[in-house]
Amino acid sequence: MSDDKKGRRASPGRLLVTSLLLFLLLAGITALVLYLVYRPSKPRFTVSAAAIYDISNASSQANAISTSMQFTLVIRNPNDRASVFYDRLSAYVSYRNQPITPPAALPPMFQEKDSTVAISPVLGGGFVPISGDVAAGLATDQAYGVVGLRLVLLGRLRYKSGPFRSNWYGLYVRCDMLTGFRKGVTGPVPLLGEPECKVDT
């Protein structure tokens, strides 16, 4: 058999491979363009107000504390093409990396594109065990009039952009703030400086 005939027989196979590679290349470019167009940005969180109604030690337990606090958390969805679903949300407050409120479950939430919503959960109720160092530090800070707290929000989110829905992503938000609070004074407290919220998904 001549080389010319072999070349003619091999050409349909080469054409098929070339067509397949071209299709994959175009599909990859299309997927990249869609990703760049619809790629969502993380939501932004800000604490705009705080109130402390109670911080008290248990009379029967030396290292247990009962608290009642409320925070206004402003959530900004910066995406003009993607809405956000939030699910399995819970929040708690910590002091020196130790929880001082039990986790509170929050309802699921849907946020429209390019929008801002605010939630104001009341956290606390019931006694939470704490270390002696945390109890002493909290008492000292209250006497000084400045208490550093961290609001933690946990859950999961996913994005809806046009016909596309993303997978669920874990959500971990931590907002560090300094509050002006003295023992015996209850209600709204000033936020000293700009509370910084970090968002991990």
Side-chain angles (χ1 to χ4, degrees), residues 80-150:
D80 57 3
R81 289 188 176 92
S83 50
V84 187
F85 296 91
Y86 302 90
D87 192 25
R88 298 182 184 173
L89 296 173
S90 65
Y92 66 89
V93 179
S94 69
Y95 172 80
R96 294 189 180 179
N97 295 320
Q98 186 169 347
I100 59 172
T101 68
L106 305 178
M109 188 172 59
F110 173 75
Q111 188 171 14
E112 294 286 352
K113 308 168 189 174
D114 193 23
S115 65
T116 302
V117 297
I119 59 174
S120 297
V122 177
L123 307 174
F127 284 95
V128 176
I130 57 173
S131 68
D133 290 342
V134 166
L138 194 52
T140 300
D141 287 353
Q142 286 182 78
Y144 184 66
V146 177
V147 179
L149 299 172
R150 172 177 283 180

Side-chain angles (χ1 to χ4, degrees), residues 47 50 71 147-151 175-179 191-192 195-196:
V47 177
F71 298 91
V147 179
L149 299 172
R150 172 177 283 180
L151 174 64
C175 301
D176 293 317
M177 68 199 91
L178 289 174
T179 62
L191 294 172
L192 308 177
E196 180 184 357

Side-chain angles (χ1 to χ4, degrees), residues 54-59 64-68 126-127 130 138 142 183:
D54 178 50
I55 296 182
S56 57
N57 294 327
S59 57
I65 193 169
S66 173
T67 61
S68 178
F127 284 95
I130 57 173
L138 194 52
Q142 286 182 78
K183 191 174 181 65

